[in-house]
Structures are given as C-alpha cells and as structure tokens.
C-alpha cells in the first residue's frame, strides 16, 4: 500500500465489520446491449441494482423516444423471473446526434422513462460514429434540455488525433466542458466515468448548485491503473475508454468516491463484448464488471478503509441527482474471501468477466 492509500485508510477507523447492509444501489451508467447478449448480461445488473441508466450506443443508436420505448420493453423482458431482479427498472437515455430536434427532447421528457441524453463526441468509443461532430450543431436541443431539466451525460474525451490518448479527458475539460457549462449554466450535466485528477478537481470545485453537476466513477478505475493493461503482456480485458491512467489519478478517484461528496456517484460502465472481439488485433474497449460490480466497489472502499461511505456513493447521491426517490429496499454484503470464476455463464457468447487480479473480500448475499 502506498502512502496516500495509507493516509486515506488512516482517516477512517477500520471497522472489522463482517456484514454490510446498504439501501439497494443503482447503476448510473451501464451498457446492457441487445438481443442474445442483453438476455445474458441483464440479469447480472438486475440482481444487484434497483435501477440503472441504460446507455444508448446500440447499432443503430437509440436516438428517438419511440426507439427507447421498445428497447425498454426488451430490457424488461430480459429481467429474471424471480429473485431481486424482477423489479429492476431501466432508466432510458437517448443518443445525441448533430440533428436531434428539440421536439425529441420534449417527447423524451413527456415519456417519463427517458432520464438523460448521452453525448458521444463522434469517434470517441464503441458505436460513437453517429455522435456529435460539433456541439454548435446542438444548441437548440441543449436549450430544450436545459429548459426541461433533462441531464446531458457526457463521454468526456476529445478525438483530435494530435492529442495523446492519456490526455484526452483533461483537454476535453478545457476545450468542451467548461465552455459548454458557461453557455448553458442551467443544464444538468453528468461527467461520465471520470479517470483523472483534473476531472475530480473540476467536478468537486465547480461553482454549481446542488443537482446540477455530477460525475460517475467505475469500479475498474478505482481498482486499477494503466500498468494493468501493459505490464507482463498486453491484457485486452483491461482495455476500456477512457483508458486507465497513472496511479496518481486512480488515487484521486478513490479520494473522490470515498469523500462523501454528493457530486460523485456509482456508474459501472460495465461494457460487455464477445471474447473474440476483445482478444483481437483491434480489440474493443470495455470492461465487463456487471456480474460482481457491487463487490468490486466494496473491495475498493474497504481497501481505502471507507466502507461507511459506500452507501451514499452507491445508493443515495445518484438518485438525488436525478430527482428520483432513494431505494427503500436493501442488500447485504458479507465479508468472505473468494475468487472470481474464470468466465461468466454466457452461453456461446463467451463474455469474459473483469477480474481485479486478486481475491475479493466481500460477497453479495
Ligand atoms: O470502454 C468503454 N466501452 N467505454 C465506452 O465509452 C463505451 C463502452 C462500450 O460501449 O463498449
Ligand atoms: Zn459507457
């Protein structure tokens, strides 16, 4: 453990507790895909989380409320028939394009089931080619979102090929996010899956009213730094976007997650791809964390000596941001050492589950 991890740990009394009860958490950023893959992966999310913000980057993307309605029905149909997942609620999003109309924003708001619009700068990540080429094309749509309090969920990376891939989030803050927030001061914004100290500081220190600015943090970015991808061989299952950064950035993310600051909340960004597309000369970006997501977060919080901060991060701050009621259901984690299975029960699809490289110390009951 390095000195910052130690100082984080020292600031919390180690509890030695063996059972942890939490209000049922929600996942404020997840990819559940479609078709056979949806049926395979959805039960994993539904088993742990009461609700989840569903990413719209299907192929073709979910750009209209009507498409979101039918995708929502397919997700509801993929819920497990029994157990805690039966009541899982998908919270839908639309995929922003250069020509989404303000009328679509109004339809989304009237639907009651669309909770945000996702900005993928064109070319940033999986199925982002139909994304936004320039935010100047979206001004009237963003105005409608601002008026209707519909949050903009942002993949915060620039695509300029001259910018180093490890710097793309930081450059995005200066070139895109700050000007956007200045031009649309009443727009609700979630800076998704932040990966850098700069993003933590930007969100923490921004002059924003409660409920106007938030950031999601993944379990995999809390647990690993960029060495995981490259040391001892190239490890495609640790490749995601935004890519893991240096250790100093991971530590900043841990500090933010355990800080109790309500602008930081849980979003797994679990992103399953078939094994053959991960273990490939041009492998897809995405870590498939859904099967053990809550346990991975518990691991990260426990390592920082901050388990008592997990419930706010996992179960309260996201619902407060989205203006939804906090869960009244509960989940229980038990302290026990266990090893993640080699792969998930994914039929012929063979989706490989993210493993943090060591045993886990908490298990969902
Ligand atoms: O690693 C990622 N995978 N990052 C994203 O932004 C998209 C996601 C996916 O859909 O595969
Ligand atoms: Zn994502």
């Amino acid at each position: 453990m390095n000195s910052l991890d130690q100082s984080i740990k020292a600031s919390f009394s180690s509890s030695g507790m063996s059972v942890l009860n939490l209000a049922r958490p929600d996942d404020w950023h997840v990819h559940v895909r479609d078709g056979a893959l949806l049926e395979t992966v959805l039960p994993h999310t539904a088993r742990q989380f009461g609700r989840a913000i569903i990413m719209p980057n299907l192929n073709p993307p979910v750009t209209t409320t009507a498409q979101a309605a039918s995708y929502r029905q397919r997700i509801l149909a993929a819920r497990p028939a029994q157990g805690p997942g039966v009541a899982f609620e998908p919270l839908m999003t639309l995929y922003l394009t250069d020509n989404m109309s303000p009328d679509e924003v109004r339809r989304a708001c009237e639907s009651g089931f669309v909770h945000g619009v996702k900005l993928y700068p064109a070319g940033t990540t999986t199925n982002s080619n139909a994304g936004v080429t320039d935010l100047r094309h979206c001004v009237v749509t963003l105005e409608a979102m601002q008026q209707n309090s519909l949050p903009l969920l942002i993949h915060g990376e620039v695509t300029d090929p001259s910018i180093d891939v490890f710097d793309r989030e930081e450059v995005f803050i200066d070139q895109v996010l700050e000007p956007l927030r200045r031009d649309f001061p009443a727009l609700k914004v979630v800076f998704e899956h932040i990966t850098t100290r700069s993003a933590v500081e930007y969100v923490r220190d921004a002059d924003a009213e409660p409920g106007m600015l938030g950031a999601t943090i993944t379990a995999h970015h809390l647990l690993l730094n960029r060495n995981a991808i490259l040391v001892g061989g190239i490890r495609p299952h640790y490749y995601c976007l935004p890519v893991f950064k240096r250790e100093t950035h991971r530590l900043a993310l841990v500090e933010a997650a355990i800080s109790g600051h309500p602008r930081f909340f849980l979003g797994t960004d679990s992103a399953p791809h078939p094994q053959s597309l991960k273990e490939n000369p041009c492998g897809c970006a995405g870590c498939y964390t859904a099967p053990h997501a809550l346990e991975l977060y518990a691991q990260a919080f426990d390592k920082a000596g901050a388990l008592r901060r997990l419930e706010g991060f996992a179960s309260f701050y996201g619902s407060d941001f989205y203006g939804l009621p906090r869960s009244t259901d509960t989940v229980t984690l038990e302290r026990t050492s266990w090893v993640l299975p080699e792969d998930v029960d994914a039929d012929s699809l063979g989706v490989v589950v993210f493993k943090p490289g060591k045993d886990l110390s908490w298990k969902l009951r």
Side-chain angles (χ1 to χ4, degrees):
M1 189 187 292
N2 67 35
S3 61
L4 187 47
D5 259 358
Q6 250 156 5
S7 69
I8 292 169
K9 186 154 196 154
S11 62
F12 293 89
S13 60
S14 174
S15 64
M17 63 177 111
S18 57
V19 172
L20 186 61
N21 292 305
L22 304 175
R24 182 171 293 282
D26 303 298
D27 184 351
W28 300 100
H29 180 137
V30 68
H31 302 263
V32 296
R33 313 302 192 201
D34 210 347
L37 196 47
L38 167 65
E39 280 163 35
T40 299
V41 304
L42 196 270
H44 295 293
T45 292
R47 183 176 71 92
Q48 299 160 77
F49 298 103
R51 297 164 288 199
I53 286 276
I54 307 293
M55 287 296 119
N57 61 333
L58 303 182
N59 190 12
V62 180
T63 55
T64 66
T65 306
Q67 288 168 335
S70 67
Y71 186 28
R72 180 170 174 273
Q73 289 306 324
R74 299 195 293 280
I75 294 169
L76 293 174
R79 293 185 298 187
Q82 52 197 8
V86 291
F88 172 76
E89 190 187 346
L91 309 172
M92 308 309 292
T93 62
L94 300 188
Y95 181 114
L96 186 62
T97 63
D98 284 348
N99 41 36
M100 179 186 283
S101 74
D103 286 343
E104 197 57 62
V105 170
R106 280 177 217 111
R107 277 192 286 277
C109 292
E110 281 162 16
S111 77
F113 56 77
V114 175
H115 295 266
V117 173
K118 178 69 190 247
L119 164 61
Y120 287 108
T124 36
T125 188
T126 310
N127 294 340
S128 65
N129 287 345
V132 173
T133 62
D134 189 325
L135 270 174
R136 281 175 295 195
H137 298 306
C138 304
V139 169
V140 286
T141 305
L142 292 168
E143 277 166 358
M145 290 171 60
Q146 179 168 250
Q147 250 169 24
N148 289 280
S149 297
L150 187 62
L152 180 68
L153 319 182
I154 300 181
H155 184 110
E157 289 189 288
V158 292
T159 54
D160 179 347
S162 72
I163 308 291
D164 190 280
V165 69
F166 291 100
D167 298 334
R168 290 180 180 196
E169 184 173 282
E170 281 159 334
V171 173
F172 183 90
I173 295 171
D174 294 336
Q175 290 189 355
V176 184
L177 184 55
E178 179 53 21
L180 172 77
R181 292 193 50 252
R182 213 172 38 230
D183 292 346
F184 298 92
L187 182 65
K188 280 171 80 87
V189 166
V190 184
F191 194 174
E192 299 282 3
H193 44 52
I194 57 170
T195 62
T196 57
R197 184 171 288 279
S198 308
V200 166
E201 289 170 359
Y202 180 81
V203 170
R204 188 192 61 202
D205 300 338
D207 181 15
E209 298 289 317
M212 295 307 294
L213 178 63
T216 55
I217 304 179
T218 78
H220 43 291
H221 287 95
L222 290 177
L223 290 167
L224 298 179
N225 66 34
R226 66 189 194 177
N227 286 355
I229 319 168
L230 296 169
V231 172
I234 187 153
R235 305 203 186 254
H237 296 291
Y238 291 146
Y239 172 60
C240 65
L241 285 169
V243 69
F244 292 153
K245 306 295 192 301
R246 287 177 182 277
E247 178 66 359
T248 178
H249 297 291
R250 187 192 71 81
L251 290 169
L253 298 174
V254 172
E255 282 179 77
I258 69 170
S259 67
H261 196 306
R263 284 185 190 161
F264 299 104
F265 43 86
L266 184 157
T268 63
D269 197 18
S270 174
H273 292 276
Q275 185 169 12
S276 59
L277 298 182
K278 290 286 294 173
E279 299 169 14
N280 186 288
C282 184
C284 294
C287 294
Y288 179 45
T289 53
H292 311 291
L294 190 55
E295 292 138 341
L296 294 170
Y297 280 105
Q299 181 90 359
F301 275 67
D302 195 12
K303 189 167 167 243
L307 278 171
R308 68 190 176 88
R309 290 279 169 82
L310 181 60
E311 187 177 42
F313 175 82
S315 313
F316 296 154
Y317 306 148
S319 46
D320 295 351
F321 177 89
Y322 279 93
L324 296 168
R326 293 180 176 186
S327 174
T328 51
D329 192 11
T330 55
V331 296
T332 302
L333 287 157
E334 287 170 339
R335 188 188 287 282
T336 176
S337 183
W338 64 290
V339 186
L340 283 179
E342 267 312 300
D343 53 36
V344 73
D345 172 20
D347 306 328
S348 57
L349 299 167
V351 184
V352 175
V353 178
F354 174 87
K355 283 191 269 179
K358 18 180 118 72
D359 294 1
L360 287 177
S361 46
W362 289 87
K363 203 163 191 347
L364 190 61
R365 192 181 276 173

